[in-house]
Amino acid sequence: MALDINGQTLKPGAYGVGFVEGNKFLVMDLGAHDLFTTTGVHDAELKRPTPLQVLADTAPNRYRLYINRNYVVFFPAPGT
């Protein structure tokens, strides 16, 4: 099942992800080729951030992928 991350579609597979300067969320393939970059959100209110966690978003059927206090919202891509 593909995921929608801020309007970008990510098909099933193995990827490297992380946040870089300017709160940008970067997705790379295993060959270290950039697939896409999107803007993340900083959550100063998050209690007890961990290095990596998935929490429910405020909208139904959407989730937040957190890396420390930064996150992107994802959900199943339409049509998958």
Side-chain angles (χ1 to χ4, degrees):
M1 171 184 309
L3 298 177
D4 182 301
I5 302 174
N6 286 353
Q8 301 286 335
T9 301
L10 186 63
K11 295 182 179 181
Y15 301 96
V17 299
F19 282 92
V20 293
E21 186 176 338
N23 205 25
K24 298 293 183 183
F25 182 73
L26 176 65
V27 178
M28 300 181 301
D29 65 16
L30 292 182
H33 302 102
D34 293 354
L35 297 179
F36 65 85
T37 302
T38 187
T39 303
V41 178
H42 183 77
D43 187 351
E45 301 298 315
L46 180 67
K47 302 202 186 326
R48 298 188 174 204
T50 60
L52 181 66
Q53 64 182 327
V54 174
L55 299 174
D57 188 45
T58 55
N61 200 32
R62 296 178 189 262
Y63 305 91
R64 294 178 179 186
L65 171 63
Y66 277 91
I67 299 176
N68 296 317
R69 290 190 185 276
N70 299 319
Y71 73 90
V72 290
V73 175
F74 71 94
F75 57 93
T80 60

